[in-house]
Amino acid sequence: MRAYEIIAGSVGLEGLRRCERPDPEARAGQILVRLRAASLNFRDLLMVRGIYSAGGQKQAVVPLSDGAGEVVATGPGVTRFRVGDRVAGTFFRNWIAGPPPQPQIALGASPIDGVLAEYAVFSEHDAVSVPANLSFDAASTLPCAAVTAWHALMVIGNVQPGDTVLLLGTGGVSVFALQFARLAGARVLMTSSSDDKLARARAMGAAATINYRATPEWQQEVLRLTDGRGVDHIVEVGGSGTLGRSIQSIGSCGGIYLIGVLTGVAADANPYALMSKYASIHGVFVGSRIMFEKMNAAISANALEPVIDRVFAFDDAVAAYRHLEHSAHFGKIVIRI
Ligand SMILES: NC(=O)c1ccc[n+]([C@@H]2O[C@H](COP(=O)([O-])OP(=O)(O)OC[C@H]3O[C@@H](n4cnc5c(N)ncnc54)[C@H](OP(=O)(O)O)[C@@H]3O)[C@@H](O)[C@H]2O)c1
């Protein structure tokens, strides 16, 4: 089969190369999936730069966790899927419900090959049916970014109508969070470095927006927009430089969902202000298969369409990574297979 792989010790995009791999086969309990589309996450840049896991990739690996396709063969004993079913793999192996298993093993990180290939094999327990209203391109955006936003806001945050949600930037996780927060009837405040992207966010239902370049102390604007009360939920995808501002922006009994490392992980935030606000910081790492399935039910019931910035051809996968690197996107970047 045609595939891409990240070579061992990769420290940049030159470590991503085309390759031929043997066609995988479905063994007992497994499904063989003909992949039709894959999507990129910020993590995939960290992976190719060799800074996602300690010591980088120890062996060549097919990258990307997020893909969708159709089942073309099932191994003995498979009961959850049939040939022809439209599916996506889950981000983690063997996390079906409840707390995450240890160790947490993710798709597309050495030694587990990912989905930037024509075929992939999954345990039948590590896959979900994708919403019937979605194309393969759209379905490929769900496993990491969408499940993470869903887990943060709908599972941990239990967002209620009328709550105020603050979202940082307009990447994959934040745009899904905008869609889920609006579905729940929340008021959304959103930041971006781009006025054009902020206009798109308002068109999607964001009530108020802040350009974090023009207003570097954006937490003051968040407090102004909430009459000094602060917000109920923050999807914290930044890290250094944003976490401290999020702590200032959170309101009484609010939740900061710690997700991202866009701006690095150097500790520069003092958490003590959380004490008198009875607010919390809650770590989020993607989510379980059950969360994915519940999210898909909500996507189907509401005919929700993931926001795709651009679709690249399989041959142009490196250009897709470069597009992600430039942060010019709004929502998700897809590679059609
Ligand atoms: N813990 C988890 O389970 C989990 C799951 C998924 C992702 N993540 C992490 O979450 C983060 C977001 O992932 P993603 O895939 O959504 O990334 P992405 O699509 O690459 O997001 C890129 C966008 O982030 C925004 N951004 C960059 N610096 C910012 C800052 N200082 N303040 C506010 N926004 C900023 C920019 O938005 P504008 O262009 O609008 O300025 C940029 O376009 C990454 O760090 C990723 O590793 C974690």
Side-chain angles (χ1 to χ4, degrees), residues 128-303:
V128 300
S129 296
V130 297
N133 63 306
L134 298 189
S135 66
F136 285 126
D137 288 350
S140 79
T141 66
L142 302 177
C144 178
V147 173
T148 302
W150 179 267
H151 186 176
L153 289 180
M154 312 308 278
V155 180
I156 298 168
N158 189 22
V159 171
Q160 299 295 305
D163 284 0
T164 302
V165 174
L166 172 63
L167 304 174
L168 309 183
T170 58
V173 173
S174 297
V175 172
F176 273 119
L178 168 61
Q179 291 177 294
F180 296 144
R182 292 297 297 138
L183 213 56
R187 174 181 184 234
V188 176
L189 314 183
M190 198 149 185
T191 75
S192 174
S193 57
S194 151
D195 288 340
D196 289 345
K197 291 181 180 184
L198 290 176
R200 288 187 69 180
R202 286 193 298 275
M204 288 178 64
T209 54
I210 307 166
N211 186 317
Y212 64 80
R213 286 252 166 81
T215 310
E217 302 299 329
W218 45 261
Q219 74 282 3
Q220 293 167 0
E221 185 62 5
V222 171
L223 291 172
R224 192 190 67 76
L225 287 164
T226 53
D227 298 326
R229 286 193 303 274
V231 299
D232 302 301
H233 311 269
I234 303 177
V235 176
E236 198 4 288
V237 292
S240 310
T242 68
L243 182 58
R245 292 184 170 84
S246 289
I247 289 170
Q248 293 179 58
S249 301
I250 198 70
S252 178
C253 300
I256 299 172
Y257 314 118
L258 195 65
I259 288 172
V261 296
L262 285 165
T263 52
V265 292
D268 65 349
N270 186 335
Y272 279 96
L274 298 173
M275 191 168 60
S276 55
K277 297 192 203 186
Y278 295 84
S280 63
I281 299 180
H282 200 305
V284 177
F285 200 5
V286 195
S288 67
R289 192 188 85 202
I290 294 290
M291 292 176 201
F292 197 165
E293 289 170 332
K294 285 203 167 180
M295 177 191 81
N296 284 349
I299 288 172
S300 295
N302 294 280

